[in-house]
Amino acid sequence: MSADSTYGTVGRRMRVVANYVEFEKFGEGEIFQYDIELQPATGEFKKLPAPAFMRAVFDQCQRLHRQSRLGNVHMVYDARKIAYAPRRVCGPTETLRLEVSYAEDGRAATYVVQIREAAVVDGSVLRRFIGGERGVDIADIQPALNALDLAIGSVAHQDMVGFGRSFFTRAQSMQTAGGLELWRGFSLSVRPGTERLYLNVNTAVTAMYAPGPLLDALVQVLGVRDASQLRGRLDQRGVRDMAAYLRGLALYLRHRGIAGKRKFAVKGVTAAALDRESFEWEDPSQPGQAEPITVAEYYARRYNITLRYAFLPGLVGRRNAIFPIELCEIADNQRFRGKLDERQTADMVRFACQRPSDNRSRIGDVLQQLDLGASPVVRAFGMALGTRLAEVETRVLPAPTVNYGRASRDAALTPASGAWNMRDKCVSTPGAPLEHWAVLVLARQADVQQHRVQAFVSMLVDTCNRTGYAIRAPRPPITYGNLAADVSREMRRACDAIRLPPGRPPQLLLVVLQSTNALVYQSVKNCAYTTLGIHTQCMQAKHLQRPSPQYCANLCLKINAKLGGTNQGLTPSHLQRLVRGKPTLFLGCDVTHPAPGELHKPSIASVVGSTDYMGLRYAATLIQLPSRQELVAKLQEAVVRHLKLFYKGTRTKPRHVIFYRDGVSETQFAQVRDRELIEIQRACSSVEPGYKPEITFVAVLKRHNTRFFPLGRDGDRTGNCVPGTVVDRAITMPLLFDFYLFSHAAIQGTS
């Protein structure tokens, strides 16, 4: 959607500080883009080495040749195949070939860097874009932004470990479980605004492998006291956890049989233990006589090393070489790209969470530490930055009125500070009364006693009835499930305890979980939706210890919605302003991708659509996609289904469709919008020729690095901007109707 020439006007005006620094100037001349080929002087890389290695070799090459062959020009390199320079370093058709010697881990080698001009980037396109010139798209300015990003990032790379636009240091770190550390750092990104160019600076946290003996790390990963107990964890799950931790990890092999240390990357683990994994070996003292030998025997005979933990599997490296775990050390500065477990995630949240004032101070410290103005590379690219974070104008929108059931003490309320509770309120429309339900406790009865479960159920029943949702079976059967058994079998057993006629499923199964273990939760939901066809409501066992009316009220809202009810709604007058008095179908779409390392699992697109005038009832459609594909195939079919469901629920066709699209980056936005907008239009015309409702396409980005800090006492109790704050100028795109909205109160951290 193109931006209108005017900004929004509704709301109380105020000013906030953004984590943006304005460029005082930036180069508007030509920027030269080069293809870089970096190879050993003899042979070639089978695959590109790690970015840190590539950057180190290229930097060494620049130091050696800048004054001579490079004409004293500063180049910035993406550590893969592209570099930029503010002036030409070789002729347009010339290939510059440079040799450089670089030593890693005590071993020196010679490398060849070949530089060829690939493109000439027009730096003035940035000025035209931020000035709002029509026809200049964000894709047109991306090469210039990349060059400036690399130039600024080169300053941070001098003292920190970099990954893309983020930079980290071990100087500010903490240990967490599973052989990992958490490192603090920051991100740097050049961002176009309206009439201005900015540098976005934000704090960041990442998980890193803890360097040191690999054996010590695996003791933590597998949750044992010492290495001798690893033998008892070599079941299928233990080997899977070990392999997930090791995948792609760079290690050093250290032992007295080799000089120095040898670095290798882990490709996998052996199927058998080292005292059983064998191969054909030719003893150097007896040439021509190959014999079968285990890996453990090989190290004893070849290097006079007796392996203490030969019951462990070996590590498979390049050319299928096998290395003992106990002789390996984890190399420095490696980012963990796997999925964090429950404890690690909790540590990450605590470590990353900072009050807005602390976050703002840290950003100021980062800018002072970098001292970008003193960098010859930054100056070479024609850049100069201010020293203060930018102030921007905002508006605080008035809160809408929320309606509850008529039996509520206050049926209509206007939220204050973006939050409210269910005290003395009833649901707007109750769902089907709960008559046939059961409780399944997936925890040991010694840890979760039945009298506590019954006490909680009694409070839940009482809370639901007072909240306007009827539970007519106050004492459902309580079943304890075997944690080691199949979850689906335990769920069937709990359902059978209700004693319903054959073929009649229960309305709800309340499942009490010992923890937030994702695998158990997924198993429960998978069985409920794909096998049993029932609703489930999961909860953690810790909430049974001291039953809270507020927690029970929250459960009530979820149960009521699942049983067909509605909990609250906007007043019709507020809704009509939003939809401009037209029957409106609300659609939401997102794509969920597999976790890092899960290479063969599909991506799943979900489309939800409203089925009533008030946007309170929704139906969902799932679409399976190829792994990591963001564009939604078969979107037309899904939209057709939701158009029909809306008509079935309202007996009218929507005259307005609002499509909320999550998970789309700025560089993908135009492609996704154009493709999916066509799919929605085709869906409408296939329902009825000539049917063309208004369509509003809204891309929603949650994972951005923009943060705001209120001035003085304008913030809420956490120090964040108050809910309803909207920023739609200065730091926003000039040709897109984009804005930042604080839609609810922040619980912790910086919004």
Side-chain angles (χ1 to χ4, degrees), residues 665-679:
S665 67
E666 290 170 340
T667 54
Q668 296 173 309
F669 174 65
Q671 178 190 14
V672 171
R673 176 200 60 197
D674 295 344
R675 167 79 177 273
E676 296 182 357
L677 194 57
I678 290 173
E679 293 284 299

Side-chain angles (χ1 to χ4, degrees), residues 156-225:
H157 272 298
Q158 295 173 10
D159 301 309
M160 307 188 78
V161 180
F163 306 100
R165 295 186 180 95
S166 298
F167 306 88
F168 301 92
T169 174
R170 198 181 185 198
Q172 300 181 39
S173 64
M174 68 165 281
Q175 292 283 335
T176 186
L180 301 181
E181 298 175 335
L182 302 178
W183 288 20
R184 288 197 195 277
F186 53 85
S187 65
L188 301 170
S189 178
V190 179
R191 301 276 306 165
T194 303
E195 300 288 352
R196 298 174 179 86
L197 193 66
Y198 293 98
L199 177 66
N200 172 240
V201 186
N202 193 30
T203 56
V205 172
T206 194
M208 304 284 288
Y209 287 96
L214 177 60
L215 199 62
D216 294 347
L218 292 182
V219 165
Q220 292 188 48
V221 170
L222 298 182
V224 295
R225 194 166 54 248

Side-chain angles (χ1 to χ4, degrees), residues 364-513:
D365 293 342
V366 167
L367 290 169
Q368 188 174 6
Q369 171 191 342
L370 290 174
D371 192 15
L372 295 171
S375 166
V377 178
V378 172
R379 292 199 302 267
F381 278 83
M383 292 183 284
L385 290 99
T387 57
R388 299 180 59 186
L389 296 180
E391 285 189 21
V392 296
E393 186 175 302
T394 70
R395 293 174 291 118
V396 180
L397 303 177
T401 300
V402 180
N403 282 353
Y404 278 94
R406 294 180 180 177
S408 306
R409 177 178 296 179
D410 296 311
L413 69 92
T414 301
S417 302
W420 66 97
N421 58 45
M422 286 293 295
R423 188 178 298 119
D424 299 325
K425 296 176 184 64
C426 294
V427 296
S428 180
T429 307
L434 192 54
E435 298 175 334
H436 308 294
W437 65 302
V439 179
L440 172 62
V441 182
L442 292 177
R444 294 191 312 143
Q445 190 164 357
D447 298 329
V448 182
Q449 295 91 351
Q450 185 161 348
H451 73 274
R452 292 192 180 276
V453 180
Q454 189 59 63
F456 178 85
V457 168
S458 298
M459 177 175 284
L460 177 63
V461 170
D462 180 62
T463 302
C464 287
N465 287 328
R466 286 190 290 104
T467 309
Y469 175 67
I471 297 183
R472 295 177 180 170
R475 296 186 66 85
I478 298 171
T479 303
Y480 282 83
N482 183 351
L483 293 173
D486 179 49
V487 169
S488 60
R489 191 186 74 184
E490 300 304 292
M491 291 176 67
R492 289 181 188 276
R493 199 159 60 84
C495 292
D496 291 343
I498 308 176
R499 302 185 185 280
L500 288 170
R504 184 176 178 183
Q507 293 171 282
L508 180 79
L509 191 61
L510 179 65
V511 183
V512 180
L513 302 175

